[in-house]
Coordinates of all heavy atoms in Angstrom, one line a residue:
M1 N 0.8 -1.2 0.0 CA 0.0 0.0 0.0 C 0.9 1.2 0.0 O 1.8 1.3 0.8 CB -0.9 0.0 1.2 CG -1.8 1.1 1.3 SD -3.5 0.4 1.1 CE -4.4 1.8 0.9
T2 N 0.6 2.2 -0.8 CA 1.4 3.4 -1.0 C 1.0 4.4 0.1 O -0.2 4.5 0.6 CB 1.2 4.0 -2.3 OG1 2.1 5.1 -2.5 CG2 -0.3 4.5 -2.6
T3 N 1.9 5.2 0.5 CA 1.7 6.4 1.4 C 1.5 7.6 0.5 O 1.2 8.7 1.1 CB 2.9 6.6 2.3 OG1 4.0 6.9 1.5 CG2 3.0 5.4 3.2
H4 N 1.5 7.5 -0.8 CA 1.4 8.6 -1.7 C 0.0 8.8 -2.2 O -0.3 8.8 -3.4 CB 2.4 8.5 -2.8 CG 3.8 8.6 -2.3 ND1 4.5 9.8 -2.3 CD2 4.7 7.7 -1.9 CE1 5.7 9.7 -1.8 NE2 5.8 8.4 -1.6
G5 N -1.0 8.8 -1.3 CA -2.4 9.1 -1.7 C -2.7 10.5 -1.6 O -2.0 11.3 -1.0
P6 N -3.9 10.9 -2.2 CA -4.2 12.3 -2.2 C -4.8 12.7 -0.8 O -5.5 12.0 -0.2 CB -5.3 12.4 -3.3 CG -5.9 11.0 -3.3 CD -4.8 10.1 -3.0
V7 N -4.4 14.0 -0.4 CA -5.0 14.6 0.7 C -6.0 15.6 0.2 O -5.7 16.5 -0.5 CB -3.9 15.3 1.6 CG1 -4.5 16.1 2.7 CG2 -2.8 14.3 2.0
L8 N -7.2 15.3 0.5 CA -8.4 16.1 0.0 C -8.7 17.2 1.0 O -8.6 17.0 2.2 CB -9.6 15.3 -0.2 CG -9.3 14.1 -1.2 CD1 -10.6 13.2 -1.4 CD2 -8.8 14.5 -2.5
P9 N -9.3 18.3 0.6 CA -9.6 18.8 -0.7 C -8.5 19.5 -1.4 O -8.8 20.1 -2.5 CB -10.8 19.7 -0.4 CG -10.5 20.3 0.8 CD -9.8 19.3 1.7
I10 N -7.3 19.5 -0.9 CA -6.2 20.3 -1.5 C -5.4 19.5 -2.5 O -4.6 20.1 -3.2 CB -5.3 20.9 -0.4 CG1 -4.7 19.8 0.4 CG2 -6.0 21.9 0.5 CD1 -3.6 20.2 1.4
W11 N -5.6 18.3 -2.6 CA -5.0 17.4 -3.6 C -3.5 17.5 -3.6 O -2.8 17.6 -4.6 CB -5.5 17.7 -5.0 CG -7.0 17.3 -5.1 CD1 -8.1 18.0 -4.8 CD2 -7.5 16.0 -5.4 NE1 -9.2 17.3 -4.9 CE2 -8.8 16.0 -5.3 CE3 -6.8 14.8 -5.8 CZ2 -9.6 14.9 -5.5 CZ3 -7.6 13.7 -6.1 CH2 -9.0 13.7 -5.9
S12 N -2.9 17.4 -2.4 CA -1.5 17.3 -2.2 C -1.3 15.8 -1.8 O -2.1 15.1 -1.5 CB -0.9 18.2 -1.1 OG -1.5 17.8 0.1
C13 N 0.0 15.4 -2.0 CA 0.4 14.0 -1.7 C 0.5 13.8 -0.2 O 1.3 14.6 0.4 CB 1.6 13.6 -2.5 SG 2.2 11.9 -2.1
G14 N 0.0 12.8 0.3 CA 0.2 12.5 1.7 C 1.5 12.0 2.1 O 1.9 12.0 3.3
G15 N 2.3 11.6 1.1 CA 3.6 11.0 1.4 C 4.7 12.0 1.2 O 5.7 11.9 2.0
C16 N 4.6 12.9 0.3 CA 5.7 13.9 0.0 C 5.2 15.3 -0.1 O 6.0 16.2 -0.3 CB 6.4 13.5 -1.3 SG 5.4 13.5 -2.7
D17 N 3.9 15.6 0.0 CA 3.4 16.9 0.0 C 3.4 17.7 -1.3 O 3.2 18.8 -1.4 CB 4.0 17.8 1.1 CG 3.0 18.9 1.6 OD1 1.8 18.7 1.6 OD2 3.5 20.0 2.0
L18 N 3.8 16.9 -2.4 CA 3.8 17.5 -3.8 C 2.4 17.5 -4.3 O 1.5 16.8 -3.7 CB 4.7 16.8 -4.7 CG 6.2 16.9 -4.4 CD1 7.0 15.9 -5.2 CD2 6.7 18.3 -4.6
P19 N 2.0 18.2 -5.4 CA 0.7 18.0 -6.0 C 0.5 16.6 -6.4 O 1.4 15.9 -6.9 CB 0.8 19.0 -7.2 CG 1.9 20.0 -6.9 CD 2.9 19.2 -6.0
W20 N -0.7 16.1 -6.1 CA -1.0 14.7 -6.4 C -1.7 14.6 -7.8 O -2.5 15.5 -8.1 CB -2.0 14.2 -5.3 CG -2.2 12.7 -5.4 CD1 -1.4 11.8 -4.8 CD2 -3.1 11.9 -6.2 NE1 -1.8 10.5 -5.1 CE2 -2.8 10.6 -6.0 CE3 -4.0 12.3 -7.1 CZ2 -3.5 9.6 -6.6 CZ3 -4.8 11.3 -7.7 CH2 -4.5 9.9 -7.5
P21 N -1.3 13.6 -8.6 CA -0.4 12.5 -8.3 C 1.1 12.9 -8.4 O 1.4 13.5 -9.5 CB -0.8 11.5 -9.3 CG -1.4 12.2 -10.5 CD -2.0 13.4 -9.8
C22 N 1.8 12.7 -7.5 CA 3.2 13.0 -7.4 C 4.0 12.1 -8.3 O 3.5 11.1 -8.7 CB 3.7 13.0 -6.0 SG 3.8 11.3 -5.3
P23 N 5.3 12.4 -8.5 CA 6.1 11.5 -9.4 C 6.2 10.0 -8.9 O 6.1 9.1 -9.7 CB 7.5 12.1 -9.4 CG 7.2 13.6 -9.1 CD 6.0 13.6 -8.2
T24 N 6.2 9.9 -7.6 CA 6.3 8.5 -7.0 C 4.9 7.8 -7.3 O 5.0 6.6 -7.8 CB 6.5 8.5 -5.5 OG1 7.8 9.1 -5.3 CG2 6.5 7.2 -4.9
R25 N 3.8 8.4 -7.1 CA 2.5 7.8 -7.3 C 2.4 7.6 -8.8 O 1.8 6.5 -9.2 CB 1.4 8.7 -6.8 CG 0.0 7.9 -6.9 CD 0.1 6.6 -6.0 NE -1.2 6.0 -6.2 CZ -1.4 4.7 -6.3 NH1 -0.3 3.9 -6.3 NH2 -2.6 4.1 -6.5
R26 N 2.9 8.4 -9.7 CA 2.8 8.2 -11.1 C 3.5 6.9 -11.5 O 3.0 6.1 -12.3 CB 3.3 9.4 -11.9 CG 2.4 10.6 -11.8 CD 3.0 11.8 -12.6 NE 2.2 12.9 -12.4 CZ 2.3 14.0 -13.2 NH1 3.2 14.1 -14.1 NH2 1.5 15.0 -13.0
R27 N 4.7 6.8 -11.0 CA 5.5 5.5 -11.2 C 4.7 4.3 -10.7 O 4.6 3.3 -11.4 CB 6.8 5.5 -10.6 CG 7.9 6.4 -11.3 CD 9.3 6.2 -10.8 NE 9.4 6.5 -9.4 CZ 9.6 7.8 -8.9 NH1 9.6 8.8 -9.7 NH2 9.7 8.0 -7.6
E28 N 4.1 4.4 -9.6 CA 3.3 3.2 -9.0 C 2.2 3.0 -9.9 O 1.8 1.8 -10.2 CB 2.9 3.6 -7.6 CG 4.0 3.7 -6.6 CD 3.6 4.2 -5.3 OE1 2.4 4.7 -5.1 OE2 4.3 4.1 -4.3
L29 N 1.5 4.0 -10.4 CA 0.3 3.8 -11.2 C 0.7 3.2 -12.5 O 0.0 2.3 -13.1 CB -0.5 5.1 -11.4 CG -1.2 5.6 -10.1 CD1 -1.7 7.0 -10.3 CD2 -2.5 4.7 -9.9
R30 N 1.8 3.6 -13.1 CA 2.3 3.1 -14.4 C 2.5 1.6 -14.2 O 2.2 0.8 -15.1 CB 3.5 3.8 -14.9 CG 3.3 5.1 -15.5 CD 4.6 5.5 -16.2 NE 4.6 6.9 -16.6 CZ 4.0 7.3 -17.8 NH1 3.5 6.4 -18.6 NH2 4.1 8.6 -18.1
A31 N 3.2 1.2 -13.1 CA 3.4 -0.2 -12.9 C 2.1 -1.0 -12.6 O 1.9 -2.1 -13.2 CB 4.3 -0.4 -11.7
E32 N 1.2 -0.4 -11.9 CA -0.1 -1.1 -11.6 C -0.9 -1.3 -12.8 O -1.6 -2.3 -12.9 CB -0.8 -0.2 -10.5 CG -2.0 -0.9 -10.0 CD -2.7 -0.1 -8.9 OE1 -2.0 0.8 -8.3 OE2 -3.9 -0.2 -8.7
Y33 N -0.9 -0.3 -13.7 CA -1.7 -0.4 -14.9 C -0.9 -0.6 -16.2 O -1.3 -0.3 -17.3 CB -2.5 1.0 -15.0 CG -3.6 1.1 -14.1 CD1 -3.4 1.6 -12.8 CD2 -4.9 0.7 -14.4 CE1 -4.5 1.8 -11.9 CE2 -6.0 0.9 -13.6 CZ -5.7 1.4 -12.3 OH -6.8 1.5 -11.4
A34 N 0.2 -1.3 -16.0 CA 1.1 -1.6 -17.2 C 0.2 -2.4 -18.1 O -0.5 -3.4 -17.8 CB 2.3 -2.5 -16.7
G35 N 0.2 -2.0 -19.4 CA -0.5 -2.7 -20.4 C -2.0 -2.4 -20.4 O -2.8 -2.9 -21.2
A36 N -2.4 -1.4 -19.6 CA -3.9 -1.0 -19.6 C -3.9 0.5 -19.5 O -4.5 1.1 -18.5 CB -4.6 -1.7 -18.4
P37 N -3.4 1.2 -20.5 CA -3.4 2.7 -20.4 C -4.8 3.3 -20.4 O -5.0 4.3 -19.8 CB -2.6 3.1 -21.6 CG -2.7 1.9 -22.6 CD -2.8 0.7 -21.7
V38 N -5.8 2.7 -21.1 CA -7.1 3.2 -21.1 C -7.7 3.2 -19.7 O -8.4 4.1 -19.2 CB -8.0 2.6 -22.1 CG1 -9.4 3.0 -22.0 CG2 -7.4 2.8 -23.5
S39 N -7.5 2.0 -19.0 CA -8.0 1.9 -17.6 C -7.3 2.9 -16.7 O -8.0 3.5 -15.8 CB -7.7 0.5 -17.1 OG -8.4 -0.5 -17.9
L40 N -6.1 3.1 -16.9 CA -5.4 4.1 -16.1 C -6.0 5.5 -16.3 O -6.3 6.2 -15.3 CB -3.9 4.2 -16.4 CG -3.1 5.3 -15.7 CD1 -3.2 5.2 -14.2 CD2 -1.6 5.2 -16.1
A41 N -6.2 5.9 -17.5 CA -6.8 7.2 -17.9 C -8.2 7.3 -17.3 O -8.6 8.4 -16.7 CB -6.8 7.4 -19.4
L42 N -9.0 6.2 -17.4 CA -10.4 6.3 -16.8 C -10.3 6.4 -15.3 O -11.1 7.2 -14.7 CB -11.2 5.0 -17.2 CG -11.5 4.9 -18.6 CD1 -12.1 3.5 -19.0 CD2 -12.6 6.0 -18.9
Y43 N -9.4 5.7 -14.7 CA -9.3 5.8 -13.2 C -8.9 7.2 -12.8 O -9.5 7.8 -11.9 CB -8.2 4.8 -12.7 CG -7.7 4.9 -11.3 CD1 -8.6 4.4 -10.3 CD2 -6.5 5.4 -11.0 CE1 -8.2 4.5 -9.0 CE2 -6.1 5.5 -9.7 CZ -7.0 5.0 -8.7 OH -6.6 5.1 -7.4
L44 N -8.0 7.8 -13.5 CA -7.5 9.1 -13.1 C -8.6 10.2 -13.5 O -8.7 11.2 -12.9 CB -6.2 9.4 -13.8 CG -5.0 8.7 -13.1 CD1 -3.8 8.8 -14.0 CD2 -4.7 9.1 -11.7
G45 N -9.4 9.9 -14.5 CA -10.5 10.8 -15.0 C -11.5 11.0 -13.8 O -11.9 12.1 -13.6
G46 N -11.7 10.0 -13.1 CA -12.6 10.1 -11.9 C -12.0 11.1 -10.9 O -12.7 11.9 -10.3
Y47 N -10.7 11.0 -10.6 CA -10.0 11.9 -9.7 C -10.1 13.3 -10.3 O -10.2 14.2 -9.6 CB -8.6 11.4 -9.4 CG -8.5 10.3 -8.4 CD1 -8.0 9.1 -8.8 CD2 -9.0 10.5 -7.1 CE1 -7.9 8.1 -7.8 CE2 -8.9 9.5 -6.2 CZ -8.3 8.3 -6.6 OH -8.2 7.3 -5.6
L48 N -9.9 13.4 -11.6 CA -9.9 14.7 -12.2 C -11.2 15.4 -12.0 O -11.3 16.6 -11.6 CB -9.7 14.6 -13.8 CG -9.9 15.9 -14.6 CD1 -8.9 16.9 -14.2 CD2 -9.7 15.5 -16.0
V49 N -12.3 14.7 -12.1 CA -13.6 15.3 -11.9 C -13.7 15.8 -10.4 O -14.2 16.9 -10.1 CB -14.8 14.3 -12.2 CG1 -16.1 14.8 -11.8 CG2 -14.8 14.0 -13.7
Q50 N -13.3 14.9 -9.5 CA -13.4 15.3 -8.0 C -12.5 16.5 -7.8 O -12.9 17.5 -7.1 CB -12.8 14.2 -7.2 CG -13.8 13.3 -6.6 CD -13.2 12.3 -5.6 OE1 -12.5 11.4 -6.1 NE2 -13.3 12.6 -4.4
A51 N -11.3 16.5 -8.3 CA -10.4 17.7 -8.1 C -11.0 19.0 -8.7 O -10.8 20.1 -8.1 CB -9.0 17.4 -8.8
A52 N -11.6 18.9 -9.9 CA -12.3 20.1 -10.4 C -13.3 20.6 -9.6 O -13.5 21.8 -9.5 CB -12.8 19.7 -11.9
E53 N -14.0 19.8 -8.9 CA -15.1 20.2 -8.0 C -14.5 20.8 -6.7 O -15.0 21.8 -6.2 CB -16.0 19.0 -7.5 CG -16.9 18.5 -8.7 CD -17.6 17.3 -8.4 OE1 -17.5 16.7 -7.3 OE2 -18.4 16.9 -9.2
D54 N -13.4 20.2 -6.2 CA -12.7 20.7 -5.0 C -11.9 22.0 -5.3 O -11.7 22.8 -4.4 CB -11.8 19.7 -4.5 CG -12.5 18.5 -3.8 OD1 -13.7 18.7 -3.5 OD2 -11.8 17.5 -3.6
M55 N -11.4 22.2 -6.5 CA -10.6 23.3 -6.8 C -11.1 24.1 -8.1 O -10.5 24.1 -9.1 CB -9.2 22.8 -7.1 CG -8.5 22.1 -5.9 SD -6.8 21.6 -6.3 CE -6.9 20.5 -7.6
P56 N -12.3 24.7 -7.9 CA -12.9 25.4 -9.1 C -12.1 26.5 -9.6 O -12.3 26.9 -10.8 CB -14.2 25.9 -8.5 CG -14.0 26.0 -7.1 CD -13.1 24.9 -6.7
W57 N -11.1 27.0 -8.9 CA -10.2 28.1 -9.4 C -9.1 27.6 -10.3 O -8.5 28.4 -11.0 CB -9.6 28.9 -8.2 CG -8.7 28.0 -7.4 CD1 -7.4 27.7 -7.5 CD2 -9.1 27.1 -6.3 NE1 -6.9 26.8 -6.6 CE2 -8.0 26.4 -5.8 CE3 -10.3 26.9 -5.6 CZ2 -8.0 25.5 -4.8 CZ3 -10.4 26.0 -4.5 CH2 -9.2 25.3 -4.2
A58 N -8.8 26.3 -10.2 CA -7.7 25.7 -11.1 C -8.1 25.7 -12.5 O -9.2 25.3 -12.9 CB -7.4 24.4 -10.5
P59 N -7.2 26.1 -13.4 CA -7.5 26.0 -14.8 C -7.7 24.6 -15.3 O -7.0 23.7 -14.9 CB -6.2 26.6 -15.5 CG -5.6 27.4 -14.4 CD -5.9 26.7 -13.2
A60 N -8.7 24.4 -16.1 CA -9.0 23.0 -16.6 C -7.9 22.4 -17.3 O -7.6 21.2 -17.1 CB -10.3 23.1 -17.5
G61 N -7.1 23.1 -18.1 CA -6.0 22.5 -18.8 C -4.9 22.0 -17.9 O -4.3 21.0 -18.1
A62 N -4.7 22.8 -16.8 CA -3.6 22.4 -15.8 C -4.1 21.2 -15.1 O -3.2 20.2 -14.8 CB -3.4 23.6 -14.8
L63 N -5.3 21.1 -14.8 CA -5.9 19.9 -14.1 C -5.7 18.6 -15.0 O -5.4 17.6 -14.6 CB -7.3 20.0 -13.6 CG -7.4 21.0 -12.4 CD1 -8.9 21.1 -12.1 CD2 -6.7 20.5 -11.2
H64 N -6.1 18.9 -16.3 CA -6.0 17.7 -17.2 C -4.6 17.2 -17.3 O -4.3 16.0 -17.3 CB -6.5 18.2 -18.6 CG -6.4 17.1 -19.6 ND1 -5.3 16.9 -20.4 CD2 -7.3 16.1 -20.0 CE1 -5.5 15.8 -21.2 NE2 -6.7 15.3 -20.9
R65 N -3.6 18.1 -17.5 CA -2.2 17.7 -17.6 C -1.7 17.0 -16.3 O -1.0 16.0 -16.4 CB -1.3 19.0 -17.9 CG -1.3 19.5 -19.3 CD -0.3 20.6 -19.5 NE -0.5 21.7 -18.7 CZ -1.4 22.7 -19.0 NH1 -2.2 22.7 -20.0 NH2 -1.5 23.8 -18.2
R66 N -2.2 17.5 -15.2 CA -1.8 17.0 -13.9 C -2.3 15.6 -13.7 O -1.6 14.7 -13.2 CB -2.3 17.9 -12.8 CG -1.9 17.4 -11.4 CD -2.4 18.5 -10.4 NE -2.4 18.0 -9.1 CZ -2.8 18.8 -8.1 NH1 -3.1 20.0 -8.3 NH2 -2.8 18.3 -6.9
F67 N -3.6 15.3 -14.1 CA -4.2 14.0 -13.8 C -4.1 13.1 -14.9 O -4.1 11.9 -14.7 CB -5.7 14.3 -13.3 CG -5.8 14.8 -11.9 CD1 -5.7 16.2 -11.7 CD2 -5.9 14.0 -10.9 CE1 -5.8 16.7 -10.4 CE2 -6.0 14.4 -9.6 CZ -5.9 15.8 -9.3
I68 N -4.2 13.5 -16.1 CA -4.4 12.6 -17.3 C -3.3 12.8 -18.3 O -2.8 11.8 -18.9 CB -5.8 12.7 -17.9 CG1 -6.8 12.4 -16.9 CG2 -5.9 11.8 -19.2 CD1 -8.2 12.6 -17.4
G69 N -2.9 14.0 -18.5 CA -1.9 14.3 -19.6 C -0.7 13.4 -19.6 O -0.1 13.1 -20.6
W70 N -0.1 13.2 -18.4 CA 1.2 12.4 -18.3 C 1.0 11.0 -18.7 O 2.0 10.3 -18.9 CB 1.7 12.6 -16.9 CG 0.8 12.0 -15.9 CD1 -0.2 12.7 -15.2 CD2 0.8 10.7 -15.3 NE1 -0.8 11.8 -14.3 CE2 -0.2 10.6 -14.4 CE3 1.6 9.5 -15.7 CZ2 -0.4 9.4 -13.7 CZ3 1.3 8.4 -15.0 CH2 0.3 8.3 -14.0
T71 N -0.2 10.5 -18.7 CA -0.4 9.0 -18.9 C -0.1 8.6 -20.4 O 0.3 7.5 -20.6 CB -1.8 8.5 -18.6 OG1 -2.7 9.2 -19.5 CG2 -2.2 8.9 -17.2
R72 N -0.1 9.6 -21.3 CA 0.2 9.2 -22.7 C 1.7 9.4 -23.0 O 2.1 9.2 -24.1 CB -0.6 10.1 -23.6 CG -2.0 9.9 -23.3 CD -2.9 9.7 -24.4 NE -2.3 9.4 -25.7 CZ -3.0 9.0 -26.7 NH1 -4.2 8.7 -26.6 NH2 -2.4 8.8 -27.8
Q73 N 2.5 9.9 -22.1 CA 3.9 10.1 -22.3 C 4.7 8.9 -21.8 O 4.3 8.3 -20.8 CB 4.4 11.4 -21.5 CG 3.6 12.6 -21.9 CD 3.9 13.8 -21.0 OE1 4.5 13.6 -20.0 NE2 3.5 14.9 -21.4
P74 N 5.8 8.6 -22.4 CA 6.6 7.5 -21.9 C 7.2 7.9 -20.6 O 7.4 9.0 -20.3 CB 7.7 7.4 -23.0 CG 7.8 8.7 -23.7 CD 6.4 9.3 -23.6
P75 N 7.5 6.9 -19.7 CA 8.1 7.2 -18.4 C 9.4 7.9 -18.6 O 10.1 7.7 -19.6 CB 8.3 5.8 -17.8 CG 7.4 4.8 -18.6 CD 7.2 5.4 -19.9
A76 N 9.7 8.7 -17.6 CA 11.0 9.4 -17.6 C 12.2 8.5 -17.9 O 12.3 7.4 -17.3 CB 11.2 10.2 -16.3
G77 N 13.1 9.0 -18.8 CA 14.3 8.2 -19.1 C 14.1 7.1 -20.1 O 15.0 6.4 -20.5
R78 N 12.9 7.0 -20.6 CA 12.6 6.0 -21.6 C 12.3 6.6 -23.0 O 11.6 7.6 -23.1 CB 11.4 5.2 -21.2 CG 11.2 3.9 -22.1 CD 10.1 3.0 -21.5 NE 9.3 2.6 -22.5 CZ 8.0 2.2 -22.4 NH1 7.5 2.2 -21.2 NH2 7.3 1.9 -23.4
K79 N 13.0 6.2 -24.0 CA 12.8 6.8 -25.3 C 11.6 6.3 -26.0 O 11.2 5.1 -25.8 CB 14.1 6.5 -26.2 CG 15.3 7.3 -25.6 CD 16.4 7.2 -26.6 CE 17.6 7.9 -25.9 NZ 18.4 8.5 -27.0
T80 N 11.0 7.1 -26.9 CA 9.8 6.7 -27.7 C 10.4 5.9 -28.9 O 11.6 5.8 -29.2 CB 9.0 7.9 -28.2 OG1 9.9 8.7 -29.0 CG2 8.5 8.6 -27.0
S81 N 9.4 5.3 -29.6 CA 9.8 4.5 -30.8 C 10.5 5.3 -31.9 O 11.3 4.8 -32.7 CB 8.6 3.8 -31.4 OG 7.7 4.8 -31.8
D82 N 10.3 6.6 -31.9 CA 11.0 7.4 -32.9 C 12.4 8.0 -32.4 O 13.0 8.8 -33.1 CB 10.1 8.6 -33.4 CG 9.8 9.6 -32.3 OD1 10.3 9.4 -31.1 OD2 9.1 10.6 -32.5
G83 N 12.8 7.5 -31.2 CA 14.1 7.8 -30.7 C 14.2 9.1 -29.9 O 15.3 9.5 -29.5
T84 N 13.1 9.8 -29.7 CA 13.2 11.0 -28.9 C 12.9 10.7 -27.4 O 12.5 9.8 -27.0 CB 12.1 12.0 -29.4 OG1 10.8 11.4 -29.3 CG2 12.4 12.4 -30.8

């Protein structure tokens, strides 16, 4: 069980106090949902909706990048198929 869960309603990480999902939780989620990127995006989409309700002042684009946008990017340090 991770200690890097969200602290509501401010959406900071309970383990490291960074904005949730923090880099550690992102790594954990990538491992947990390996081979199931759509499921990961749907899971995080539910959190995105909650966060948008808790933080109505936050720009929608920033919340999208924070909760879902990173799921389509390769993990840090890993190159894509085109070599970038």
Side-chain angles (χ1 to χ4, degrees):
M1 183 113 190
T2 186
T3 60
H4 292 272
V7 176
L8 305 178
I10 59 173
W11 292 89
S12 65
C13 176
C16 62
D17 207 32
L18 292 172
W20 193 91
C22 67
T24 298
R25 188 61 182 138
R26 289 179 182 192
R27 282 190 302 276
E28 292 171 349
L29 287 166
R30 280 191 192 278
E32 186 177 337
Y33 285 87
V38 173
S39 295
L40 174 58
L42 288 171
Y43 173 74
L44 289 169
Y47 282 118
L48 170 63
V49 170
Q50 263 188 285
E53 290 173 358
D54 289 341
M55 300 184 296
W57 63 89
L63 289 176
H64 180 272
R65 284 187 300 278
R66 178 174 165 181
F67 285 87
I68 298 174
W70 63 270
T71 63
R72 303 227 12 167
Q73 300 169 352
R78 192 169 134 203
K79 294 189 180 212
T80 60
S81 60
D82 66 0
T84 59

